[in-house]
Short mmCIF file of all heavy atoms in Angstrom, two decimals:
data_model
loop_
_atom_site.label_atom_id
_atom_site.label_comp_id
_atom_site.label_asym_id
_atom_site.label_seq_id
_atom_site.Cartn_x
_atom_site.Cartn_y
_atom_site.Cartn_z
N VAL A 68 92.07 -79.27 163.38
CA VAL A 68 91.25 -80.48 163.33
C VAL A 68 92.11 -81.66 162.90
O VAL A 68 92.88 -81.57 161.93
CB VAL A 68 90.07 -80.30 162.35
CG1 VAL A 68 89.26 -81.59 162.22
CG2 VAL A 68 89.17 -79.17 162.83
N VAL A 69 91.97 -82.77 163.61
CA VAL A 69 92.70 -83.99 163.28
C VAL A 69 92.19 -84.56 161.96
O VAL A 69 90.99 -84.65 161.72
CB VAL A 69 92.56 -85.03 164.40
CG1 VAL A 69 93.18 -86.36 163.99
CG2 VAL A 69 93.20 -84.50 165.69
N GLU A 70 93.12 -84.95 161.11
CA GLU A 70 92.78 -85.51 159.81
C GLU A 70 92.61 -87.01 159.93
O GLU A 70 93.53 -87.73 160.32
CB GLU A 70 93.92 -85.19 158.82
CG GLU A 70 93.47 -85.06 157.38
CD GLU A 70 94.62 -84.62 156.49
OE1 GLU A 70 95.12 -83.50 156.67
OE2 GLU A 70 95.02 -85.43 155.63
N MET A 71 91.42 -87.50 159.62
CA MET A 71 91.19 -88.94 159.64
C MET A 71 91.96 -89.62 158.50
O MET A 71 92.16 -89.01 157.44
CB MET A 71 89.70 -89.25 159.48
CG MET A 71 88.83 -88.83 160.66
SD MET A 71 89.17 -89.73 162.18
CE MET A 71 90.04 -88.46 163.11
N PRO A 72 92.39 -90.86 158.68
CA PRO A 72 93.11 -91.55 157.61
C PRO A 72 92.20 -91.83 156.42
O PRO A 72 90.98 -92.02 156.57
CB PRO A 72 93.58 -92.85 158.27
CG PRO A 72 92.64 -93.06 159.42
CD PRO A 72 92.27 -91.69 159.89
N VAL A 96 80.67 -89.85 160.58
CA VAL A 96 81.23 -88.58 160.18
C VAL A 96 82.13 -88.81 158.97
O VAL A 96 83.08 -89.61 159.04
CB VAL A 96 82.05 -87.94 161.31
CG1 VAL A 96 82.55 -86.55 160.90
CG2 VAL A 96 81.22 -87.85 162.59
N LEU A 97 81.84 -88.13 157.88
CA LEU A 97 82.68 -88.20 156.68
C LEU A 97 83.37 -86.85 156.51
O LEU A 97 82.74 -85.87 156.12
CB LEU A 97 81.82 -88.53 155.45
CG LEU A 97 81.05 -89.86 155.49
CD1 LEU A 97 80.23 -90.03 154.23
CD2 LEU A 97 82.01 -91.03 155.70
N GLN A 98 84.64 -86.81 156.83
CA GLN A 98 85.40 -85.56 156.68
C GLN A 98 85.57 -85.26 155.20
O GLN A 98 85.95 -86.12 154.41
CB GLN A 98 86.77 -85.69 157.33
CG GLN A 98 86.80 -85.44 158.81
CD GLN A 98 88.22 -85.39 159.34
OE1 GLN A 98 89.15 -85.94 158.75
NE2 GLN A 98 88.39 -84.74 160.48
N VAL A 99 85.28 -84.01 154.83
CA VAL A 99 85.42 -83.60 153.44
C VAL A 99 86.67 -82.77 153.23
O VAL A 99 87.40 -82.96 152.27
CB VAL A 99 84.17 -82.83 152.98
CG1 VAL A 99 84.30 -82.43 151.52
CG2 VAL A 99 82.92 -83.69 153.17
N GLY A 100 86.95 -81.83 154.13
CA GLY A 100 88.17 -81.05 154.01
C GLY A 100 87.97 -79.60 154.37
O GLY A 100 86.87 -79.18 154.76
N VAL A 145 86.86 -76.95 158.97
CA VAL A 145 86.82 -78.22 158.25
C VAL A 145 85.37 -78.68 158.15
O VAL A 145 84.66 -78.75 159.16
CB VAL A 145 87.68 -79.29 158.96
CG1 VAL A 145 87.55 -80.63 158.25
CG2 VAL A 145 89.13 -78.85 159.00
N ARG A 146 84.93 -79.01 156.95
CA ARG A 146 83.56 -79.44 156.69
C ARG A 146 83.44 -80.96 156.73
O ARG A 146 84.39 -81.68 156.36
CB ARG A 146 83.09 -78.93 155.33
CG ARG A 146 82.94 -77.42 155.23
CD ARG A 146 81.65 -76.95 155.86
NE ARG A 146 81.55 -75.49 155.89
CZ ARG A 146 80.48 -74.83 156.30
NH1 ARG A 146 79.42 -75.51 156.72
NH2 ARG A 146 80.46 -73.51 156.30
N SER A 147 82.28 -81.42 157.16
CA SER A 147 82.02 -82.86 157.21
C SER A 147 80.54 -83.13 157.02
O SER A 147 79.70 -82.25 157.23
CB SER A 147 82.50 -83.46 158.54
OG SER A 147 81.84 -82.82 159.62
N ILE A 148 80.22 -84.36 156.62
CA ILE A 148 78.84 -84.83 156.49
C ILE A 148 78.58 -85.81 157.61
O ILE A 148 79.41 -86.68 157.89
CB ILE A 148 78.61 -85.51 155.12
CG1 ILE A 148 78.91 -84.53 153.98
CG2 ILE A 148 77.18 -86.03 155.01
CD1 ILE A 148 78.87 -85.18 152.61
N VAL A 246 84.35 -88.56 148.00
CA VAL A 246 84.50 -88.66 149.46
C VAL A 246 83.39 -89.40 150.18
O VAL A 246 83.55 -89.73 151.36
CB VAL A 246 84.62 -87.24 150.09
CG1 VAL A 246 85.82 -86.50 149.56
CG2 VAL A 246 83.34 -86.43 149.85
N GLU A 253 88.97 -90.69 148.43
CA GLU A 253 89.36 -89.73 149.46
C GLU A 253 88.45 -89.80 150.68
O GLU A 253 88.36 -88.85 151.44
CB GLU A 253 89.35 -88.31 148.88
CG GLU A 253 90.31 -88.10 147.73
CD GLU A 253 90.25 -86.70 147.17
OE1 GLU A 253 89.88 -85.77 147.92
OE2 GLU A 253 90.55 -86.52 145.97
N ARG A 254 87.81 -90.92 150.88
CA ARG A 254 86.90 -91.04 152.01
C ARG A 254 87.65 -91.09 153.33
O ARG A 254 88.58 -91.88 153.51
CB ARG A 254 86.05 -92.30 151.85
CG ARG A 254 85.14 -92.58 153.03
CD ARG A 254 84.07 -93.58 152.68
NE ARG A 254 83.44 -94.13 153.86
CZ ARG A 254 82.16 -94.47 153.95
NH1 ARG A 254 81.37 -94.29 152.91
NH2 ARG A 254 81.67 -94.98 155.04
N ARG A 255 87.25 -90.23 154.25
CA ARG A 255 87.80 -90.19 155.61
C ARG A 255 86.62 -90.33 156.56
O ARG A 255 85.79 -89.43 156.64
CB ARG A 255 88.54 -88.88 155.88
CG ARG A 255 89.67 -88.57 154.91
CD ARG A 255 90.27 -87.19 155.20
NE ARG A 255 91.24 -86.83 154.21
CZ ARG A 255 92.54 -87.15 154.26
NH1 ARG A 255 92.99 -87.84 155.30
NH2 ARG A 255 93.37 -86.77 153.30
N GLU A 256 86.56 -91.43 157.29
CA GLU A 256 85.37 -91.69 158.10
C GLU A 256 85.69 -91.86 159.57
O GLU A 256 86.75 -92.36 159.95
CB GLU A 256 84.63 -92.92 157.59
CG GLU A 256 85.32 -94.24 157.92
CD GLU A 256 84.39 -95.43 157.71
OE1 GLU A 256 84.09 -95.72 156.53
OE2 GLU A 256 84.00 -96.07 158.71
N LEU A 257 84.76 -91.44 160.38
CA LEU A 257 84.79 -91.67 161.82
C LEU A 257 83.41 -92.15 162.22
O LEU A 257 82.43 -91.43 162.04
CB LEU A 257 85.16 -90.40 162.59
CG LEU A 257 84.96 -90.44 164.10
CD1 LEU A 257 85.88 -91.48 164.74
CD2 LEU A 257 85.18 -89.06 164.72
N PHE A 327 94.61 -80.76 159.79
CA PHE A 327 94.20 -79.91 158.67
C PHE A 327 94.82 -78.52 158.84
O PHE A 327 95.16 -78.11 159.95
CB PHE A 327 92.68 -79.79 158.59
CG PHE A 327 92.01 -80.97 157.96
CD1 PHE A 327 91.33 -81.90 158.73
CD2 PHE A 327 92.03 -81.16 156.58
CE1 PHE A 327 90.70 -83.00 158.16
CE2 PHE A 327 91.41 -82.24 155.99
CZ PHE A 327 90.74 -83.16 156.78
#
Side-chain angles (χ1 to χ4, degrees):
V68 176
V69 173
E70 209 175 296
M71 292 294 106
V96 184
L97 300 179
Q98 277 188 336
V99 181
V145 176
R146 293 281 175 175
S147 59
I148 300 173
V246 299
E253 299 179 27
R254 176 164 164 146
R255 303 176 186 273
E256 74 166 70
L257 168 64
F327 280 104

